[in-house]
Structure formats: C-alpha cells, structure tokens
Amino acid sequence: MSLTDFRSTEAPAARRARTNRTEIVGGRIAVTLKYLSLVLASVVVLLPLLVLLMASLKTNDEYVNGEPFDAPGNWFNLDNYVTAFTEGGMLRAFVNTSIILVVSLVGTVLIGSMAAYALDRFEFRLRKTIILLFLLATLVPGVTTQVATFQVVNNLGLFNTRWSAIALFLGTDIISIYIFQQFLRSIPRELDESAAIEGASSLTIYFRIILPLLKPAIATVVIIKGITIYNEFFIPFLYMPDRDLGVISTSLFRFKGPFGAQWEVISAGVILVIVPTLVVFLLLQRFIYNGFTSGATK
Amino acid sequence: MATPTNTASRVSGLSGATPARRLGPGGRRRQGLRRRKTITPYLFLIAPVALLVVFTYVPVVNMFGYSVTSWNGLSPSKEFIGADNYIEIATRPELFGVLRVSLYYIGASVIQIVLALYFATVLSFNVRFRNFFKGIIFFPYLINGVAIAMVFLYFFEPGGTLDSTLNAIGLGDLSRQWLGDPGTINYSLAGTSLWRYLGLNFVLFLGAIQSIPAQLYEAAEIDGANRWHQFRFLILPGIRPIVGLSCILAISGSLSVFEIPYIMTGGANGSETFVTQTVFMAFKAYKVGLASAMAVVLLLIILLITWVQRRVVPDEKVNLS
C-alpha cells in the first residue's frame, strides 16, 4: 500500500484552507455520531444487566404485578439473595468452585511452566515430537471429543468427583504452556546456565530461578485460566451431576427448576455470580486486557 | 463451548526456538549441560505429556473407533457396523440439517466483527471516557455463560426487558414470543451470542491496532489522509492477520455453539445445534456410536476450515514500518 495514493497534486495547505469550513461541520457531525454509537453500545450492554439487578431487589408481588422498568420498592431488599444463597445452594457452589479453582490453577502453573522449561531450555531427542503433539492438540476443539473423553474419565473412576473437572482443566490446557514458553524466551539463558555451572540441579534452577522470574506470566495465566474455570459450564455439567458437587454454573443452571418463574430469585442468583467477576475486572483491568491480547494473538 | 479460543495463532507460537538461536555464544557450555542431564527434560514433561495423551489423543482415537460401532456407551461389547452411522447422518435431514442453524450464528459473527472493528478503531484514538467505554464493551465476555443465558431469558420473556423497551420507544407492536416463535428464536439466540462475544474481538483488534506505530498516523495526516483513509490503508492492512483469524474462530465457534441454546431453550422450537444434538445423542439417547460419528464430522469440518484459513491468510508478520 502507499500513502501517496491519496495525496492530491494541489498543495496541501491550499486545499486544506478551502475545505476547512465543510470539514468543521462534518467533523462535528462525525464526533456526535461517534459518541452516540458509544452511548448506544453502553445502553445495549448495561440495560439487560440493570433491569435484572432491579428485579433481584423486588418482592414477588412487585415482580408479578409490575413492569421490568419499575423500580423496586426497597432498594435494600436482600431477601432474594438470602433465598438464592441458602435454598439455591450458592454457598456450596462457591466453595466447590473455589476448591477446583485453586487446585487447577496451582496445577496449571506448575505443569505449564515445567513443560515450557523443559521444551525451551533442553535439547533432547523427542523435543520436536512433543512440540508437535502439543501443536496438533490445539487444532482439536474440546467440545467435539467430549463423547469419547467421557468414557476415559469414567474408566479412570473420576466421574462425579471434583477430580474429573480438575484433571480436564489441567489436561486440556495448552495455551498456558504457550504463554510460559513465550515468556521464558525473554529470560536470558545465562542466568540458569551459570547456576548450573555452580552445581545447582535442574529442579533447583526451576524452583529458585525460573519460577520466580515467570511471575508476570503466572499472573496472566492465573487470570485467564481463572476466569475460564469460574465460567465453565460444560465440564462440571457433564462430569459432576451430583448436587453436592455443584459449581457456580451448574448451581445457577439448576435455578431454572425449583424457582421456575420466580425471576426475582433467579435474578439474585445471577447477580451473585456476576459480582465477583465485576470486582476482579475492576481491580485487574489492565492485566486482563493484556492477558487476553498476549494470550490469544501472539 | 463456542468460546473462541485462538487455535491457529497458538500453533505458530509453539514452534520453538530456531536452530540458529541454539548455537549462540555459550553453545559449548550448553552441550555439556545436555550430556549430563539427558533424562531431566523427560522428568519435567511426564505430567504434561501424560495429561495431553490421556485427555486429548486417547479420546480422539477412541472417538474414531466408536464412530463405526453401534455402541450405547454402557454395554461391554461394541458391535462393528462400518459406515452406517455416517450414512445415517448424511441421510437423516434432522441430523445434518441442524448445521443450518449455524448460519444464524455465522451471520451474527459477521456483524460482531464489523462492530468490533468499528469500536476498536474509534477507541484507539482520543475519546472522552475511553477506558469506561472499553470496559463496558469488553465486560460481557467475562460473564459466566449460564448467567448470560439467564439474563437474556429474562430479556426475551413476554413482557420482559425487550418488550418493555419496545413499548417505551413506541414500537410495542413488534413484541412477540421471542423464544417461542421458530421464526425469531434463532435470531434472538444469535443476538445473545453477539452480545457475549463482541468484547473478545474488540479487545483483540484494539491490541493489534495499538501495535501500529504512531508515526504512521502522523505521516498519513500530513499527507492529508482522513480517518477513513487511515482505517482503509493503515489499520486494516495492519491487523489483517488477526481479522482473518477472528473470522475462522467465528466460523468454528458458530458450528460448535452449545451453551446459549442448551440453557435458554434446551433446543426447542428449531434452535437445536449440532453440538446440543450430539450431546443429546450421547448422553440421553445412549447412541454413543452415532454421536461419535457426528463429533467426527464436526471435527473434520473445523479442521478443513482451519486449513483453508491457513492457506488464504498465511500467518505472515505484517511489516508496516
């Protein structure tokens, strides 16, 4: 491409003076349209959420007899939240999700960084083959193989235990290995090489040098992976049907049954699920944007 | 499960260091290191490779195996029936025909990518409350899928948010059973999907646009280029690889839509997708053989699309400077 394509033969200054007035008017319209589109997008995003927030604060009577846009009579009516939390089993759901989240994240960080360390810092015969294995696996969308994965999980005796979800979160995660590998390349080899010369074992090098230096990458992986696990529906739904093992997603899904048309309670459950995400997002905004761009594009 | 994870780009990244790098200064020392510790890397790789094989390669191989049997998923014996499952998929229109539903989601993805490009371009330049708008547009992508499905069930309820909004702006006549009418159900669901995933495309494009060197815009402005020219001749070529990639992810995501229709409608009124149907076949109708064959078909279609993408938009580095 060439930028000279749209350079006219006229001197730019003369041309600019002539078109100045129309440009100002046109510019104003463009700016107005720009802000209008941004405001419209914000309304489209926020409206469904805000209406649900209002619904969650209404009494059943207010919900049945009112319109969605009617404000709740008492903005601090938290009865529905109490119902969702106790009867809907949201407390248990948060506990289960936290257990799976912590174990999976620790495992992902260790396994991913170990794999990346081995692949980046060592020359060995099967290196190319193993890299190829990881590469090919990225081409297989998880959702297509679940029918057969289910049989594997079942045969391992993991069905209906938390370990099924943990094993799948650890086993099907290749993006974290990739992020760690990208980051490892920017760490000078001289660092761990000199440690090796002084007699440090590979394990010592990994734990004392590599892992601490990987902190920024670990943050990225924990954020991206954490959000994915918190939001995952398919895996817990399929592998942990037991009520007591319900996580956030599956417990909220079950609201459809007992609370049926009680939208004020369902809304409270939904808001309960969204609030932690919102808090994390507001606190870690910058890292989240960076994580998604570096995790997905490079 | 239509989460657009970024398959193709990850592929290029994992390819490892080039041989040239490995022969840099210190090569001799490294060779010494290598001789001493030939089994060390394998020790580090035991866990990741074992997990990879058990949860990716074993299922893929088994899936091809199941797809030529009439196995129900429970009985100890699997009866070999050859290509019968594949013939059934090809000849029973209600099986293969559900792929038609994907067209709604593909349509929504086109709008999604165009909107994401627009907002990413606008928000790359000086805009008041820029971070606020960025956050608003991206946030839905982070919300739990079940929560989103519930939000939009309420949104599309008769007398719900959408109907009330239409009433408020004087378009009340348009109200209908958004999720009960086979004519609108897939538009409603695809719209929900657009709302959910726009943010991801937006952030990816935003990141790509911001990596274009600022002096190029200055040069363009001196040359008299307006915003449209800048978009057409600078931004678009600069982020072409990521746009191409987003298109592929959109297509494979649209083919494997699961969460939104499964939670919102359970596949009723013609909103059944290929994956909701596969899940039904495998885990409710106990036709693991047939479901495996469907999964194989989907996998092959997605691999084919990925391959076409790699041919059409090679993963080249765009050089603008």
Side-chain angles (χ1 to χ4, degrees), chain A residues 22 43 49 62 74 76 87 98 125 127 137 140 146 148 159 217 237 243 252-253:
Chain A
T22 47
V43 171
L49 298 173
E62 280 173 328
N74 172 10
F76 297 97
E87 284 175 48
S98 309
R125 192 185 305 209
R127 185 172 170 273
V140 181
Q146 289 306 327
F159 179 68
F237 173 71
R243 268 197 110 72
L252 187 60
F253 180 63

Side-chain angles (χ1 to χ4, degrees), chain B:
Chain B
M1 291 309 286
T3 320
T5 42
N6 213 324
T7 330
S9 67
R10 263 184 265 152
V11 172
S12 59
L14 261 171
S15 52
T18 55
R21 262 194 67 202
R22 309 221 149 248
L23 295 174
R28 207 178 307 145
R29 245 188 295 159
R30 205 168 302 132
Q31 267 188 346
L33 194 70
R34 168 162 49 129
R35 252 200 307 278
R36 224 159 18 100
K37 312 220 156 114
T38 33
I39 59 156
T40 315
Y42 296 104
L43 294 178
F44 280 101
L45 283 166
I46 287 176
V49 172
L51 286 165
L52 178 74
V53 170
V54 171
F55 293 109
T56 300
Y57 286 98
V58 170
V60 169
V61 172
N62 283 351
M63 186 172 77
F64 278 90
Y66 298 154
S67 74
V68 290
T69 68
S70 60
W71 194 38
N72 61 12
L74 302 167
S75 81
S77 64
K78 305 177 181 70
E79 197 198 334
F80 179 79
I81 55 165
D84 282 9
N85 286 327
Y86 292 96
I87 294 168
E88 195 174 345
I89 294 169
T91 50
R92 269 172 62 183
E94 74 269 28
L95 293 185
F96 205 65
V98 291
L99 275 179
R100 189 177 33 86
V101 174
S102 307
L103 295 177
Y104 292 92
Y105 294 91
I106 292 178
S109 310
V110 173
I111 303 174
Q112 178 181 316
I113 288 175
V114 171
L115 284 177
L117 265 176
Y118 167 76
F119 285 118
T121 309
V122 165
L123 290 173
S124 309
F125 297 104
N126 243 343
V127 171
R128 232 174 272 218
F129 310 115
R130 194 166 136 208
N131 287 330
F132 172 78
F133 287 125
K134 261 170 75 176
I136 298 259
I137 294 176
F138 179 59
F139 183 63
Y141 179 70
L142 299 179
I143 303 179
N144 188 295
V146 182
I148 290 180
M150 298 293 192
V151 169
F152 278 89
L153 268 178
Y154 187 60
F155 184 82
F156 289 121
E157 277 261 288
T161 313
L162 181 55
D163 286 351
S164 301
T165 311
L166 288 174
N167 276 332
I169 56 175
L171 294 169
D173 293 345
L174 287 175
S175 295
R176 64 192 69 214
Q177 291 267 351
W178 297 103
L179 296 173
D181 179 350
T184 52
I185 186 166
N186 285 315
Y187 290 107
S188 309
L189 296 179
T192 308
S193 173
L194 192 159
W195 188 90
R196 181 178 184 190
Y197 289 116
L198 175 71
L200 182 69
N201 286 130
F202 164 74
V203 160
L204 295 183
F205 294 157
L206 199 66
I209 292 175
Q210 274 162 4
S211 66
I212 298 174
Q215 54 287 19
L216 285 184
Y217 296 114
E218 288 160 24
E221 252 161 54
I222 291 169
D223 278 350
N226 62 26
R227 279 280 187 263
W228 167 248
H229 289 138
Q230 289 180 18
F231 175 76
R232 173 76 188 75
F233 296 104
L234 256 180
I235 296 176
L236 206 53
I239 65 172
R240 204 177 64 120
I242 189 76
V243 174
L245 201 66
S246 301
C247 293
I248 289 318
L249 294 174
I251 296 174
S252 62
S254 303
L255 291 171
S256 39
V257 172
F258 170 74
E259 261 179 41
I260 285 174
Y262 189 87
I263 298 167
M264 286 178 69
T265 65
N269 295 325
S271 63
E272 189 99 81
T273 69
F274 204 68
V275 176
T276 61
Q277 198 170 47
T278 308
V279 168
F280 173 81
M281 282 295 167
F283 303 109
K284 297 248 170 69
Y286 296 105
K287 292 186 174 173
V288 171
L290 182 62
S292 301
M294 292 177 72
V296 168
V297 169
L298 183 59
L299 177 61
L300 293 181
I301 295 176
I302 291 177
L303 287 182
L304 180 75
I305 291 168
T306 311
W307 179 78
V308 170
Q309 184 257 343
R310 311 279 297 167
R311 300 300 300 268
V312 176
V313 191
D315 207 13
E316 92 239 22
K317 268 260 171 271
V318 176
N319 196 358
L320 274 172
S321 38

